[in-house]
């Protein structure tokens, strides 16, 4: 049943009770006689009740059936209790004058909705006791009992419920009716003690002393409560069943006497409730501001650290930066992620509570909105991603620099070793005093040197290229590299110049020399390139290498195998070269030539060729070992790649599946909100239990980074993808739980049944065509029309501003629930709080500090005193406070 239907039912019930008490009770049968004991009790009670009102007009009655016969005091009684003027009475003393006056009184009673049955003016004028008592009882019902209302009951039932509520805590009291439940007097004493405990010591009353109890209640009520004594204790005790109407009349006086106190208590309770809600909301706002400030300050301090792109000069220093970044990711950031999520949950909960309590929405301080924090967090993650990419790029760059620097040093050392003494040699003028043979020898030697010089041109170009690349990669010791490279280039240019000058000089004297030893020349010609080949081979065999995959190392191995395949041909060349030397020795031995032991055409000897050849043969297996070790390292790296990919290819789809499941859960879950909450909590726990797999993957990722592995062809998932997906998964399940919590808050605050929530959910799901927990505006309009709303464009636009204040183009289930409950729920308003303060202030337009401290609990009273402004009206008194503007401020309104 909807709230509107409930209200209609209550209204109908109240109308039915009112109709019952508008009609004169059927037991006033004019032909039946009253029980003598009841008649005595009614006569005394009704007389006292009438006099309690007539004395306000300065008169009273002595005999109830006699004093109302002329109708004058009857009309006066009705004027006093109703506060209205009756028609002017007839002044005559004839019977028809009296009948006319009584008829005027009876007509007035009928005008109040009371149907008088079997009571005529003639019976009252004739002094009919039964009819007179019936008429007075009708008046009492209409003006003293009918308007009593407790919760949804009224009149007799309302008065009985009020008595039961007030006497429930008292021993030996069980009010079930208006006759025998009051015989022992304890119920009356309990009513007085409940409202004025200072007048009666209830603990001293005894159930076996009914007359004493009744007289105590009568005396206290007459003396302190201004309720006249309407009953006799002996009559009540000695009558098996006291008259119900007499008891109801007397008890109704207590209700009216204490109604003012009840009203003040209700008003005080309402104010306490409103102030407690306001204090709790202010506390939540302060907590939000504090948490937001701390999170934004942490982001502000962290971003400059992540934006620092000053590179270190050594690999160790950069690896330390990477380790610091890992600590930030593992240790420092996760608590902040949780804080950010909690901040959003707190903000949503606060807004829900403010909306449920009819308070204006909370607007955080400038720069501390949830959107501001989200933007700051987005900026942090962007800088964080750029920082990690920069770190890895710098590490690759330093690794490349170290490799190039070492290679540069090796090539420079080889070149400098080769050029040592060459300038002095080229500057010699030994040809001036040489013999013909020596000149020829010097010429051939110089030709061999030129050949050697040309062979070294490639190495010089390599040194220059490496130096240029070191400069382009911003090598920290580039100045030293440049100086050394410039020295080598300058020396190389000088060698070229000196070489050309020496050739020119030798050619000038070459014509003077004719003979040359062909064998020495041939040896020199063949030994020099072979020697250069061996130098190049040794250089290649000792060359450092860096690879990042199995394919790259296999390429090096293939090249090395191809080199080894050329060794037999090289050995033949070696044997041929050494054969020339052996031929020289054979000729010298054959023809008795005494050799000086020096080849005039080259400094190379057969021993040099042999030594270098042995060195090359030793370097080949060493190179084999280095390549195999690198193969093992790359295979280990491949295992790490596959190990990481095997887990990542499981975890990545798992996270994506869970995200999709959460999206369906928020739409498809059935059962009560508490059941949904328990399911979501269990689901959240299952997700948290999966964290160990993420941690294991983090460990594998750390091993990969330590091994300087920068790519992985076996998976499309990176650790960054997994981290972001995991954080989004935790945030999404937390937000889903928060939505259910807010639905529980809405249900409890608005009094919505589970059936209504199920109806709302069913309607929402029916029109949620995409099954994503959101409706577009057209679906939302169709949903409202299906629920009976008559929507024009203007009204629909107004509703959309309520359910989609940020103009996102979709309506969430939470916004739909808020709108449906807002349309039917009843909440406190500024006017209601203002009316409550007016009651506490005795209808004044201001309230004093003393009144606040008397009527409210200390904490709420001081809260009001500290926030109320001074009242400045013309009727102001010292200490007067303005409760009107205070009530408006509680709900974000201007003064009414």
């Amino acid at each position: 049943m909807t709230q509107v239907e409930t209200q209609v039912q209550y209204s109908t019930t109240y109308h039915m009770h009112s109709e019952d008490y508008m009609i004169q009770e059927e037991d006033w049968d004019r032909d039946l006689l009253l029980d003598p004991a009841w008649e005595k009790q009614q006569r005394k009670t009704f007389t006292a009740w009438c006099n309690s009102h007539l004395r306000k007009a300065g008169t009273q009655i002595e005999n109830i059936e006699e004093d109302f016969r002329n109708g004058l005091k009857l009309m006066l009684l009705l004027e006093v209790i109703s506060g209205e003027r009756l028609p002017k009475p007839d002044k005559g003393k004839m019977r028809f004058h009296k009948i006319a006056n009584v008829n005027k009184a009876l007509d007035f009673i009928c005008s109040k909705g009371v149907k008088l049955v079997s009571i005529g003016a003639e019976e009252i004028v004739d002094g009919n006791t039964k009819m007179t008592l019936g008429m007075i009882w009708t008046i009492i019902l209409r003006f003293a009992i009918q308007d009593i209302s407790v919760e949804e009951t009224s009149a007799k039932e309302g008065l009985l419920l009020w008595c039961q509520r007030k006497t429930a805590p008292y021993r030996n009291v069980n009010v079930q009716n208006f006759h025998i439940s009051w015989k022992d007097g304890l119920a009356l004493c309990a009513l007085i003690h409940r409202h004025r405990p200072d007048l009666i010591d209830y603990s001293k009353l005894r159930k076996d002393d009914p007359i004493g109890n009744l007289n105590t209640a009568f005396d206290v009520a007459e003396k302190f409560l201004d309720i006249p004594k309407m009953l006799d204790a002996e009559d009540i005790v000695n009558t098996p069943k006291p008259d119900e109407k007499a008891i109801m009349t007397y008890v109704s006086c207590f209700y009216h006497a204490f109604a003012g106190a009840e009203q003040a208590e209700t008003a005080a309770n309402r104010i306490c409730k409103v102030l407690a809600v306001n204090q709790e909301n202010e506390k939540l706002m302060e907590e939000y501001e504090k948490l937001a400030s701390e999170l934004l300050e942490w982001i502000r301090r962290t971003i400059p650290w992540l934006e620092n792109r000053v590179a270190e000069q050594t690999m160790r220093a950069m690896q330390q930066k990477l380790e610091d970044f890992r600590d930030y990711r593992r240790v420092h950031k996760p608590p902040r992620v949780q804080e950010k999520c909690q901040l959003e949950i707190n903000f949503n909960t606060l807004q829900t509570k403010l909306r449920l309590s009819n308070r204006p929405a909370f607007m955080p301080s400038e720069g501390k909105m949830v959107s501001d924090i989200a933007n700051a967090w987005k900026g942090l993650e962007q800088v964080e991603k750029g920082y990690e990419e920069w770190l890895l790029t710098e590490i690759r760059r330093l690794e490349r620099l170290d490799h190039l620097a070492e290679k540069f040093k090796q090539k420079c050392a080889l070149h400098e070793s080769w050029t040592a003494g060459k300038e002095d040699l080229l500057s010699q003028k030994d040809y001036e005093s040489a013999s013909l043979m020596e000149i020829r020898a010097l010429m051939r030697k110089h030709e061999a040197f030129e050949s050697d010089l040309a062979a070294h041109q490639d190495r010089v170009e390599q040194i220059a290229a490496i130096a240029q690349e070191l400069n382009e990669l911003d090598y920290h010791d580039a100045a030293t590299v440049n100086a050394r490279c410039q020295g080598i280039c300058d020396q190389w240019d000088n060698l070229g110049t000196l070489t050309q000058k020496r050739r020119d000089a030798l050619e000038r004297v070459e014509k003077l020399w004719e003979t040359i030893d062909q064998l020495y020349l041939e040896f020199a010609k063949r030994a020099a390139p072979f020697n250069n080949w061996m130098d190049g081979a040794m250089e290649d065999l000792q060359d450092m290498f860096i690879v990042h995959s199995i394919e790259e190392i296999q390429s090096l191995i293939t090249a090395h195998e191809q080199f080894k395949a050329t060794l037999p041909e090289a050995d033949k060349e070696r044997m041929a070269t050494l054969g020339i030397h052996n031929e020289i020795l054979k000729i010298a031995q054959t023809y008795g030539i005494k050799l000086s032991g020096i080849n005039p055409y080259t400094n190379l000897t057969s021993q040099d060729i042999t030594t270098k050849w042995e060195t090359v043969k030793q370097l080949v297996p060493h190179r084999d070992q280095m390549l195999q070790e690198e193969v093992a390292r790359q295979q280990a790296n491949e295992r790490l790649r596959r190990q990481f990919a095997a887990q990542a290819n499981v975890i990545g789809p798992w996270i994506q599946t869970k995200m999709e499941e959460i999206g369906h859960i928020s739409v498809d879950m059935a059962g009560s909100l508490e059941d949904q909450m328990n399911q979501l909590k269990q689901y959240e726990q299952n997700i948290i239990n999966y964290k160990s797999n993420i941690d294991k993957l983090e460990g594998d990722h750390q091993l990969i980074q330590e091994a300087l592995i920068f790519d992985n062809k076996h998976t499309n998932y990176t650790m960054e993808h997994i981290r972001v997906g995991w954080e989004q998964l935790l945030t999404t399940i937390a937000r889903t739980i928060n939505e259910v919590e807010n639905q529980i808050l809405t249900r409890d605050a608005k009094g919505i049944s589970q059936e209504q929530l199920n109806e709302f959910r069913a309607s929402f799901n029916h029109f949620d065509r995409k099954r994503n927990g959101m409706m577009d505006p057209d679906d939302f309009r169709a949903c409202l029309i299906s629920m009976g709303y008559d929507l024009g464009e203007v009204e629909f636009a107004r509703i959309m501003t309520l359910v989609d204040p940020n103009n996102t183009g979709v309506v969430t289930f939470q916004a739909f629930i808020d709108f449906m409950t807002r349309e039917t729920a009843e909440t406190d308003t500024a006017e209601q709080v203002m009316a409550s303060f007016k009651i506490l202030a005795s209808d004044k337009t201001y309230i004093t500090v003393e009144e606040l401290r008397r009527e409210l609990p200390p904490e709420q009273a001081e809260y009001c005193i500290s926030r109320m402004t001074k009242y400045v009206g013309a009727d102001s008194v010292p200490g007067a406070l303005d409760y009107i503007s205070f009530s408006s401020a509680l709900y974000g309104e201007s003064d009414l």
Side-chain angles (χ1 to χ4, degrees), residues 789-884:
Y789 282 81
D790 184 13
L791 298 176
E793 290 298 326
V794 176
E795 176 61 13
F796 182 71
R798 181 191 70 81
I799 294 176
M800 282 303 296
T801 60
L802 296 176
V803 299
D804 185 19
N806 295 325
N807 198 24
T808 60
V810 294
V811 179
T812 64
F813 181 67
Q814 182 61 40
F816 177 76
I817 286 293
D818 290 343
F819 170 75
M820 297 306 298
T821 55
R822 189 186 299 113
E823 290 296 297
T824 56
E826 181 180 0
T827 59
D828 293 324
T829 64
E831 290 81 0
Q832 291 174 328
V833 176
M834 210 177 297
S836 300
F837 273 116
K838 187 174 182 181
I839 293 172
L840 298 186
S842 301
D843 289 337
K844 298 190 298 295
T845 56
Y846 62 84
I847 191 168
T848 65
V849 173
E850 292 74 16
E851 288 172 334
L852 286 172
R853 288 175 173 162
R854 181 176 69 246
E855 300 295 346
L856 298 179
E859 183 179 355
Q860 279 71 30
E862 296 305 321
Y863 179 81
C864 291
I865 293 169
S866 65
R867 283 165 171 77
M868 282 187 183
T869 58
K870 182 179 179 181
Y871 178 72
V872 294
D875 54 344
S876 176
V877 299
L881 299 175
D882 186 354
Y883 65 79
I884 295 178

Side-chain angles (χ1 to χ4, degrees), residues 124 332 772:
I124 304 303
H332 302 291
N772 59 355

Side-chain angles (χ1 to χ4, degrees), residues 19 164 215 275 469 547 551 563 590 608 762 829 838 862:
E19 287 292 318
Q164 290 171 340
N215 285 329
L275 295 179
E469 188 172 359
V547 294
E551 292 76 11
F563 167 78
T590 301
D608 295 333
T829 64
K838 187 174 182 181
E862 296 305 321

Side-chain angles (χ1 to χ4, degrees), residues 530 533 560-576 613 616-617 620:
F530 184 71
W533 177 86
H560 184 60
E561 292 299 326
Q562 291 174 351
F563 167 78
K564 289 196 293 184
T566 65
L567 289 178
E569 287 296 325
D571 190 50
K572 291 180 180 179
E573 180 65 17
R574 179 185 67 86
M575 293 301 296
W613 179 255
V616 169
K617 290 198 298 183
V620 169

Side-chain angles (χ1 to χ4, degrees), residues 648-878:
N649 288 337
V650 172
I651 294 174
W654 183 88
I655 291 176
Q656 184 176 359
T657 300
K658 293 302 176 183
M659 290 289 291
E660 295 173 355
E661 288 178 359
I662 292 173
H664 292 304
I665 285 174
S666 64
V667 175
D668 299 334
M669 269 198 306
S672 67
L673 291 178
E674 285 73 14
D675 294 337
Q676 296 179 24
M677 177 64 69
N678 291 335
Q679 293 178 32
L680 286 172
K681 290 288 187 180
Q682 184 176 3
Y683 202 85
E684 182 185 40
Q685 187 60 46
N686 292 338
I687 291 175
I688 293 173
N689 292 340
Y690 199 78
K691 181 65 166 56
S692 60
N693 297 314
I694 305 296
D695 294 337
K696 186 175 185 301
L697 189 64
E698 284 281 8
D700 292 344
H701 178 64
Q702 181 173 350
L703 293 176
I704 284 178
Q705 287 196 328
E706 289 173 351
L708 299 177
I709 300 173
F710 304 108
D711 56 357
N712 193 341
K713 64 182 180 181
H714 303 296
T715 180
N716 292 326
Y717 293 99
T718 65
M719 196 62 225
E720 181 62 24
H721 293 153
I722 300 299
R723 292 192 192 104
V724 171
W726 178 252
E727 292 171 359
Q728 290 177 346
L729 180 61
L730 294 179
T731 301
T732 301
I733 188 63
R735 285 176 178 165
T736 304
I737 291 173
N738 180 243
E739 288 178 2
V740 177
E741 291 174 342
N742 287 339
Q743 291 176 27
I744 293 174
L745 284 175
T746 302
R747 181 197 65 190
D748 295 341
K750 303 295 185 175
I752 300 173
S753 66
Q754 185 64 42
E755 290 74 18
Q756 286 177 295
L757 283 175
N758 292 339
E759 278 185 25
F760 292 154
R761 170 57 81 177
S763 298
F764 185 91
N765 289 347
H766 178 75
F767 288 92
D768 179 15
R769 307 187 192 281
K770 297 180 181 178
R771 307 296 291 168
N772 59 355
M774 294 180 286
M775 289 189 291
D776 58 36
D778 291 337
D779 291 339
F780 179 56
R781 179 196 287 270
C783 180
L784 292 180
I785 292 174
S786 73
M787 299 178 75
Y789 282 81
D790 184 13
L791 298 176
E793 290 298 326
V794 176
E795 176 61 13
F796 182 71
R798 181 191 70 81
I799 294 176
M800 282 303 296
T801 60
L802 296 176
V803 299
D804 185 19
N806 295 325
N807 198 24
T808 60
V810 294
V811 179
T812 64
F813 181 67
Q814 182 61 40
F816 177 76
I817 286 293
D818 290 343
F819 170 75
M820 297 306 298
T821 55
R822 189 186 299 113
E823 290 296 297
T824 56
E826 181 180 0
T827 59
D828 293 324
T829 64
E831 290 81 0
Q832 291 174 328
V833 176
M834 210 177 297
S836 300
F837 273 116
K838 187 174 182 181
I839 293 172
L840 298 186
S842 301
D843 289 337
K844 298 190 298 295
T845 56
Y846 62 84
I847 191 168
T848 65
V849 173
E850 292 74 16
E851 288 172 334
L852 286 172
R853 288 175 173 162
R854 181 176 69 246
E855 300 295 346
L856 298 179
E859 183 179 355
Q860 279 71 30
E862 296 305 321
Y863 179 81
C864 291
I865 293 169
S866 65
R867 283 165 171 77
M868 282 187 183
T869 58
K870 182 179 179 181
Y871 178 72
V872 294
D875 54 344
S876 176
V877 299

